[in-house]
Amino acid sequence: MGMEHSILVRVITTIMPALVRKEIQDETDRITGKSKQISPIPIHLSIFSTNDIAQTPYYDFLILPVVNLTLIDLPGLTNVAVEGQPESVVKDIEKMVRTYIDKPNSIILAISPANQDIATSDAMKLSREVDPSGERTFGVLTKLDLMDKGTNALDVLEGRAYRLQHPWVGIVNRSQADINKNTGLSFARRREREYFATSPDYGHLASKMGSEYLAKLLSQHLESVIKAKIPGIILLINKGIDEMESELDHLGRPVAVDAGAQLYTILELCRAFDRIYKEHLDGGRPGGDRIYGVFDNQLPAALRKLPFDMHLSLQNVKKIVSEADGYQPHLIAPEQGYRRLIDGSLKYFRGPAEASVDEVNRVLKALVMESIRETEAMVSG
């Protein structure tokens, strides 16, 4: 595994596998060093096909990306740490592998060497744990050409030793010597076909063996999975469309973009609000009756509770009038006394009057909010 840097490979001619391999190795060395360390951070390698070239009026050609497919090359499971690796590398690799193959949409390519007992295969053991039904697991048997003479892997390839839902596929890879000599993949694939075609053990399975058949098998499986997922995807898309349309209905018609149309929309909203608000106050819509009730019921009831019988009692009137004139008796009418009586009475009115104003203000605010909601509903409808 390497750094989380995207390696973008744009090619005009055939991609050279050696160049791609070198770039991956260099990127791995940049993050882990040239030791045998591992990193869970993936290398993102984008490959563009030269077969899909679109002509444009601005460019001679445009390289288009191939179909999106995530192929994850995980490190091989190990049982011991080699020189330069931490002791935790065994668990670290298994944990990394599990994070990918646990996903229900992943296809597991469980690779095991043919020259070892399949019962000891760590890949098959781990895939059986995460995919007990075997629906996502493809068994791949390598190193068929390195088995001891007189032995073969037919029990595995024909599903007798270890049965899977999908057929086992045997392949013959390049040897380390071939890799060191940069033997081309085309030559390696041709030699692989020849091996199965001429093999006395696997000749009858030649049409269902090899890397090319494995690629075809995986492509067919991917296509079938996509077809099976399409109804659910369509259902999910339609659900999203319905939700968006419902949200658009709630938000109302599209907002105008030019200044004139925006001004017209604002004026139209104002006129609609003004009409609805007046109907609440003047009649036709509920609301005005609550204001009338404040002045017809609430305020009179509060006024009737005021202590005017004490304030305007004969004894209190005489007291206020006499105190107002002081040592100078009034000539005609006790004007100062009357004024004090009136001022005192008005102070009693202040509490009920303010309470009535607050109540009317509350009712008007509620009517404003109700009018806004009704205006939005009318315009969006």
Side-chain angles (χ1 to χ4, degrees):
M1 294 292 103
M3 297 180 67
E4 196 179 5
H5 294 164
S6 295
I7 308 172
L8 189 60
V9 180
R10 292 187 177 89
V11 292
I12 306 303
T13 58
T14 304
I15 296 176
M16 299 298 293
L19 296 178
V20 175
R21 182 171 61 252
K22 182 178 183 304
E23 182 62 27
I24 294 175
Q25 291 173 345
D26 293 343
E27 190 69 10
T28 303
D29 291 342
R30 279 191 281 271
I31 185 63
T32 64
K34 294 189 177 181
S35 62
K36 298 184 182 300
Q37 303 293 331
I38 65 167
S39 171
I41 304 174
I43 291 175
H44 297 285
L45 178 62
S46 300
I47 300 177
F48 289 77
S49 171
T50 57
N51 296 325
D52 300 322
I53 298 180
Q55 299 293 329
T56 71
Y58 305 104
Y59 303 99
D60 293 334
F61 56 83
L62 177 65
I63 301 177
L64 302 176
V66 297
V67 176
N68 290 333
L69 176 63
T70 303
L71 178 64
I72 303 171
D73 182 18
L74 296 168
L77 296 171
T78 182
N79 293 318
V80 294
V82 299
E83 185 67 27
Q85 291 181 335
E87 291 298 325
S88 63
V89 69
V90 177
K91 293 183 178 179
D92 292 342
I93 291 178
E94 182 175 338
K95 181 180 179 181
M96 183 195 308
V97 171
R98 283 182 181 275
T99 58
Y100 288 100
I101 66 176
D102 275 340
K103 298 175 181 178
N105 288 333
S106 65
I107 298 174
I108 303 171
L109 212 59
I111 301 175
S112 303
N115 56 357
Q116 295 181 12
D117 188 355
I118 193 66
T120 64
S121 172
D122 293 328
M124 297 311 302
K125 175 179 177 293
L126 195 57
S127 63
R128 174 61 64 90
E129 290 180 11
V130 300
D131 181 33
S133 64
E135 294 179 358
R136 302 187 288 116
T137 302
F138 284 81
V140 179
L141 213 57
T142 63
K143 301 182 180 181
L144 291 169
D145 54 330
L146 300 182
M147 296 185 69
D148 294 337
K149 290 184 178 181
T151 63
N152 58 55
L154 287 178
D155 284 347
V156 176
L157 294 176
E158 292 178 347
R160 292 189 296 272
Y162 194 98
R163 183 174 296 276
L164 294 173
Q165 285 202 21
H166 303 288
W168 281 84
V169 179
I171 62 174
V172 175
N173 292 324
R174 292 179 297 173
S175 65
Q176 187 60 48
D178 292 334
I179 296 174
N180 295 338
K181 292 186 297 184
N182 289 327
T183 301
L185 290 177
S186 298
F187 175 77
R189 295 289 79 81
R190 184 169 64 254
R191 189 170 60 184
E192 182 185 43
R193 290 193 299 270
E194 292 174 356
Y195 172 82
F196 284 112
T198 59
S199 171
D201 294 321
Y202 310 118
H204 65 292
L205 298 175
S207 61
K208 296 182 179 180
M209 293 289 124
S211 302
E212 293 174 334
Y213 176 76
L214 177 61
K216 179 181 178 181
L217 186 65
L218 291 175
S219 298
Q220 291 174 345
H221 179 72
L222 180 63
E223 182 179 350
S224 64
V225 170
I226 292 174
K227 287 181 179 179
K229 295 286 185 180
I230 284 177
I233 294 173
I234 293 176
L235 190 64
L236 184 63
I237 292 174
N238 290 335
K239 181 181 178 182
I241 292 174
D242 292 340
E243 291 176 352
M244 291 299 297
E245 289 180 348
S246 176
E247 183 68 16
L248 287 174
D249 291 340
H250 174 72
L251 294 175
R253 62 187 178 183
V255 178
V257 292
D258 59 282
Q262 289 176 351
L263 179 60
Y264 175 80
T265 301
I266 293 172
L267 292 176
E268 185 179 8
L269 288 171
C270 290
R271 284 193 294 266
F273 171 80
D274 179 67
R275 178 178 57 80
I276 293 174
Y277 190 59
K278 283 184 177 180
E279 290 178 357
H280 278 294
L281 295 177
D282 298 338
R285 295 176 186 264
D289 56 320
R290 282 179 276 170
I291 298 176
Y292 177 79
V294 172
F295 294 105
D296 191 54
N297 299 316
Q298 180 176 318
L299 181 58
L303 293 178
R304 282 193 290 268
K305 295 179 181 179
L306 295 176
F308 286 117
D309 54 342
M310 296 176 57
H311 182 67
L312 299 178
S313 65
L314 183 59
Q315 182 181 359
N316 194 48
V317 170
K318 286 181 178 181
K319 180 176 178 296
I320 292 176
V321 169
S322 62
E323 290 176 351
D325 287 340
Y327 70 91
Q328 296 179 357
H330 53 271
L331 298 177
I332 301 176
E335 180 180 352
Q336 292 298 325
Y338 291 161
R339 287 184 179 276
R340 290 192 180 186
L341 285 171
I342 294 173
D343 289 341
S345 299
L346 290 176
K347 290 179 181 179
Y348 287 112
F349 282 103
R350 181 173 182 175
E354 288 181 348
S356 299
V357 171
D358 291 340
E359 179 62 19
V360 171
N361 180 60
R362 187 190 66 79
V363 172
L364 291 176
K365 284 183 177 179
L367 292 179
V368 167
M369 298 306 298
E370 182 65 24
S371 299
I372 290 175
R373 287 192 293 268
E374 292 176 1
T375 302
E376 290 177 345
M378 183 190 69
V379 172
S380 61

